[in-house]
Every structure is written in structure tokens, then in C-alpha cells.
Amino acid sequence: MNETPPHFSIKNNYQKYPGKYSDFLTNDILRDICFRITGREEYTVDFIEETNVGKLVLLEYNNAVFYVLVPDLAVNGRNSYFQSFPTSIVKYYNDPCMERSIYFYFLPFKGNNTTNYYKFLYRLMATAGVSFLNTSEYLPFEIHPFTTLEDIVAIRESNRNRNKSNNSTYITKSSDNTVEIFGKTYGANKKETTLLCLALSNILSERAKLYIICEQNLTNLPAPDLAVIDSLNKIEVVQTTTTMERRELELNNSLRSARFIYNLLDKLGPKKCAFCDCDIPQLIQGAHIWPVAKIKRQHQLTLDEKLKYSTNRDNGLWLCENHHKLFDENLIMLNSNGEIQFSSEISGSSLTYLTGSTPKTSLDLEFINENVELYITKRYS
Ligand SMILES: [Zn+2]
């Protein structure tokens, strides 16, 4: 029996907000956390000066270290509520201690923490290895880790607000069946990218790619986050900078741009052919309405303007391989209202085939706007 009682180190990040840690991390709460993890009720406690560790209570006992994520109740809004947790989880993954485990401890919550989005993030945390200590007292559901990529994608998608740009993280599959994660690195969502990668690393059987969409070449995921993702050896990180894209655009007449794919995922949702609704991601490509080769011939435009048009969300459609080819060859065309038309070259059995394999007669109205109409006009001018 170890005579040294469990010892808490509480990071002072909790002090940054009105209502210090001592107001809500009371002796009762610490005793409860201690008992649930170690089976002991007596403990000692220190408050530690340390920044950038998130909201974190460390408990040490018998050479083991227990990370306990405790939400900061002085923080309002779901993004600030969640943003500190991935930071703490990254610190946990980077901890060399072999005997470590990580927990989440609920406190009385202002507002509703049972929304689908909260549930999604709790499940991501569980998939990343977090155990929840007192769920039954605060939530009407249990928190189960995700077991498949498809689960994550489906739940993620059901939380999306279709009417506006979410600027968040997207998962899809490429034509060669590689799992691809597209993450932005600024704003509140960058921490979601990290959390998603940690969760995916625990369930993916094959290596995936994380495309980091950098803004103005200035942003990246935080170095500790990248180090952890790299160390798990499941996800290859691919940086996408505007410098790289400028070079690619100069060299090629097509543009394999992670930013373009990201923008289409952000606008159109998961891959689904605009002409036939095929949603097998391995068959779906990002097609330009105003083709890159044509944009490049606009000598009045600067390179950056050309890049902007080549990656614009309104200049793209999801098309399956067949329809992409037919669109590129102008065997299928769009009129300026987004109606789908067949070339007069096509007749007989080809026309029968095309009619049968192209059930849609128009682009979805929700995706058409003035810009889309402008790109269609430019395509055929
Ligand atoms: Zn199609």
C-alpha cells in the first residue's frame, strides 16, 4: 500500500477567466475525482503556473499519471468550451510516462450540452482515448467511441449546417481509396482537426492523408499537434500553401488543388455527382466549370487572380468519372440556368445510354447562384 496520497497539479489556465478554479474545483469535486480514479478520498493539491496546456487537472498516484479534463464553466459558447480539450489531449499523448490515462469530468453545465454537435465531439474524444468519469449524472446518453470511419463521416455530416460555410474539417476518400482529411488551421476549428486525427488514428487500418489548408502561408497546426499526429504513424500530413499552388498552376493546365477540393466539400457537402447522384467517393472528382486551361489563357489576369478563379467554390462541381469526361468533352453541357443538356452529336443508342445514366435535368438549385452562372457563361464564351 502506497502511503503517499494522490496528488493533484492544477494548471493555472483556469485562473484566466472570472470565477477562479477554486470557485468550482472545490474540495468536494477534487475528492470525487480522486475517489473515482484511485479509490482514495484523501489527496494533496498544487496549483501550477503553466500555459498552453488546456483545461487540465493532473492527478499522480503510484507512479501513474491521470489526466483529467474538467471544463471551464466561466467559458461560454461551444467552441471555447471544447477548444482547450484537444490541447490537453495532445499533451497527454506527448507525455513519456508509460502509465498514463486520460479522463473527462463533467460539471454542472449552463445551457445545453446534449446537442448533436457536443455528442459528436464527446464521441471523438472517447475515440481518442478519453474515458468519461461521471456521464450518467449529466447526460441522457452514454458516450461510445466511434468504431468506423463511416460512422464518423455520417455523424459529422448530420451536424453540418448546409446553408453556410462551416470552415470546418472534412473527411472523404480519393480515387485511389485513400482516406483524406481536409483541415483548416485557423479559427476555432483547427483544434477539431487535431481531435479528428487523433480519433481516426485509433480506428483506421490504413494510412490516411491530412491536407492542411494554409491561409497566406502563415498558419499551420500547432507544432505539438503535428508531432503527435506524426508519431501515431497513421496520417501523412500534406501542407497546401498558396506558393505551392501558384507553382502548380503555372506548370499544369489542370490543378490538383487540395484547397479546391476543400472548398467543394465546404459548399457542396460529401462527394456526389451533380449529374447522376453517384456518391461512391472513389469515383467522384472535383470538376471545374470554367476550366483551368481557359483561365490560364486570360492574360489580363494576374497569377493570383487565376488561382482564385481556379479554386473558387462556385467554379466547381462534383462529377463522377464518366460525367466528368462527358462534361470536359462538351458532350454534356450546362446552360446558364444550370440545366443539363446533351450535345446534338449524341444520338441513337448513345443517347439512350446517356439519358438513362443522367437522371438529373438540372444542377441542384441550392448550389446555383450568380457566381455559378457567371462561370457557366465563361466556360462557353
Ligand atoms: Zn455521374
Side-chain angles (χ1 to χ4, degrees), residues 10 32 49 68 75-76 113 213 251 257 277 282 290 292 297-298 306 334 368 380:
I10 297 178
D32 189 42
E49 294 277 333
V68 189
V75 171
N76 285 317
N113 71 345
I213 313 296
L251 294 175
S257 161
D277 281 345
Q282 294 90 332
W290 191 17
V292 172
R297 290 199 295 271
Q298 309 298 311
K306 291 175 186 173
L334 291 171
I368 300 180
Y380 298 111

Side-chain angles (χ1 to χ4, degrees), residues 62 96 101 296 318 326 351:
N62 273 348
S101 42
K296 282 183 69 175
W318 291 135
L326 291 160
L351 184 59

Side-chain angles (χ1 to χ4, degrees), residues 25 64 77 90 145 148 150 162 172 175 183 199 264 277 291 300 318 372 380:
L25 289 179
V90 163
T148 66
E150 287 70 23
R162 291 221 154 258
T172 185
S175 54
L264 296 192
D277 281 345
Q300 78 283 9
W318 291 135
V372 173
Y380 298 111

Side-chain angles (χ1 to χ4, degrees), residues 273-278 284 318-324 357-358:
C273 179
F275 294 171
C276 71
D277 281 345
C278 166
I284 307 298
W318 291 135
L319 291 180
C320 68
E321 288 182 10
N322 273 352
H323 279 124
H324 195 176
S357 61
T358 312

Side-chain angles (χ1 to χ4, degrees), residues 140-208:
F141 50 81
E142 287 183 49
I143 299 166
H144 298 291
F146 290 108
T147 53
T148 66
L149 172 80
E150 287 70 23
D151 252 7
I152 294 185
V153 173
I155 305 282
R156 177 82 189 75
E157 207 40 47
S158 68
N159 282 319
R160 246 166 67 91
N161 182 346
R162 291 221 154 258
N163 298 322
K164 65 176 172 73
S165 171
N166 285 45
N167 269 336
S168 64
T169 307
Y170 299 108
I171 309 168
T172 185
K173 281 187 173 174
S174 68
S175 54
D176 67 357
N177 209 21
T178 305
V179 173
E180 296 184 319
I181 307 147
F182 293 81
K184 283 226 171 169
T185 54
Y186 67 93
N189 287 308
K190 71 179 174 189
K191 283 293 168 186
E192 191 188 279
T193 302
T194 299
L195 185 56
L196 200 59
C197 286
L198 297 181
L200 281 171
S201 292
N202 286 331
I203 58 173
L204 285 177
S205 51
E206 289 162 62
R207 272 176 73 82

Side-chain angles (χ1 to χ4, degrees), residues 274-318:
F275 294 171
C276 71
D277 281 345
C278 166
D279 62 358
I280 302 166
Q282 294 90 332
L283 291 180
I284 307 298
Q285 304 168 335
H288 285 91
I289 298 174
W290 191 17
V292 172
K294 247 182 156 168
I295 293 172
K296 282 183 69 175
R297 290 199 295 271
Q298 309 298 311
H299 298 299
Q300 78 283 9
L301 298 177
T302 65
L303 185 61
D304 278 351
E305 285 169 329
K306 291 175 186 173
L307 189 60
K308 190 184 82 181
Y309 290 123
S310 301
T311 56
N312 190 278
R313 57 198 265 130
D314 287 321
N315 189 23
L317 302 170
W318 291 135

